[in-house]
Amino acid sequence: MKNLTAPRPNVNPLALPVLALAGRAILTFRNVETGSHFTAIIRQKRDKKDRKIKLPAYNVWISLLGDGETRKRYAGLIFTDQPQIRMWVSREVPANDRLAQVFRWMVGAIQNPVVLRGTPSTVDGLVHNKVALFHENKCCHCGLTLTHPESIYTGIGPVCMKNLERELAAKDIKVAEIFAPVEAI
Ligand SMILES: [Zn+2]
């Protein structure tokens, strides 16, 4: 039987830009201070004629669990065709809706993941997360269930990670640094 109370893996918030835009990300953000949380599904679009071609655009669905609302809603699109990430909020979502606010906040966090980190604790000197980041035990790149223990800290399966490492090395992003295990709250 599945243990429903077991905490899900906590990944380093600094990995957010890589995870969120890996292709098939399902990420839960939990505000440690308020206890509120939401889950985002961020899925890369593919060419309609050739499904192998990935487009620089992602469909986003958000579930605002903190509101007692479990149904995921379509939030809009993220575009990565320019250095600065752009977003488009679905016309179905009113501008002052919490969904739109959360979506905007998340895009800001993808561009500057340091906002998820807190300040060093006066108690133990460690930097604890202000917003904890969780994956769903599914590879954020291909969507398959994660079975390798190391993937707990990355949210990416070993095969996808190998390919990703090459991509990130070209961008001078250090994999070991952004996926370093963090203190669970
Ligand atoms: Zn994968």
Side-chain angles (χ1 to χ4, degrees):
M1 208 181 104
K2 208 173 158 192
N3 184 354
L4 296 172
T5 56
R8 276 175 297 167
N10 189 349
V11 288
N12 195 319
L14 299 182
L16 174 62
V18 170
L19 285 183
L21 304 175
R24 291 178 73 94
I26 306 177
L27 295 168
T28 293
F29 298 76
R30 182 171 180 273
N31 187 316
V32 177
E33 282 152 17
T34 65
S36 69
H37 59 285
F38 71 90
T39 300
I41 300 168
I42 308 167
R43 190 166 294 181
Q44 188 162 19
K45 281 173 76 101
R46 287 173 184 262
D47 189 280
K48 281 206 175 76
K49 288 190 191 117
D50 184 350
R51 302 295 294 168
K52 281 193 207 113
I53 299 173
K54 293 175 181 174
L55 304 175
Y58 297 74
N59 278 310
V60 178
W61 293 263
I62 292 174
S63 171
L64 297 171
L65 303 170
D67 280 354
E69 183 183 354
T70 52
R71 194 172 57 92
K72 68 175 185 191
R73 287 162 69 198
Y74 183 65
L77 284 159
I78 291 175
F79 299 100
T80 55
D81 54 338
Q82 288 166 24
Q84 183 80 0
I85 297 171
R86 293 175 301 131
M87 63 181 286
W88 170 82
V89 181
S90 164
R91 275 187 269 279
E92 307 289 308
V93 181
N96 60 352
D97 193 305
R98 185 149 173 266
L99 188 81
Q101 292 167 7
V102 164
F103 184 25
R104 270 188 222 104
W105 177 86
M106 183 180 75
V107 171
I110 291 172
Q111 300 192 84
N112 183 25
V114 175
V115 300
L116 305 187
R117 299 290 271 148
T119 46
S121 159
T122 50
V123 180
D124 57 15
L126 296 170
V127 178
H128 293 266
N129 293 334
K130 197 159 74 180
V131 178
L133 186 63
F134 302 90
H135 61 74
E136 298 278 313
N137 285 328
K138 296 231 171 20
C139 176
C140 287
H141 181 257
C142 70
L144 290 176
T145 301
L146 295 171
T147 53
H148 198 281
E150 272 178 30
S151 306
I152 285 173
Y153 297 111
T154 62
I156 303 233
V159 177
C160 291
M161 185 54 102
K162 268 224 164 69
N163 298 327
L164 196 65
E165 270 174 19
R166 250 172 269 142
E167 255 176 61
L168 296 179
K171 290 183 196 162
D172 210 21
I173 298 171
K174 291 177 182 66
V175 172
E177 238 164 63
I178 62 167
F179 287 112
V182 289
E183 286 294 312
I185 31 79

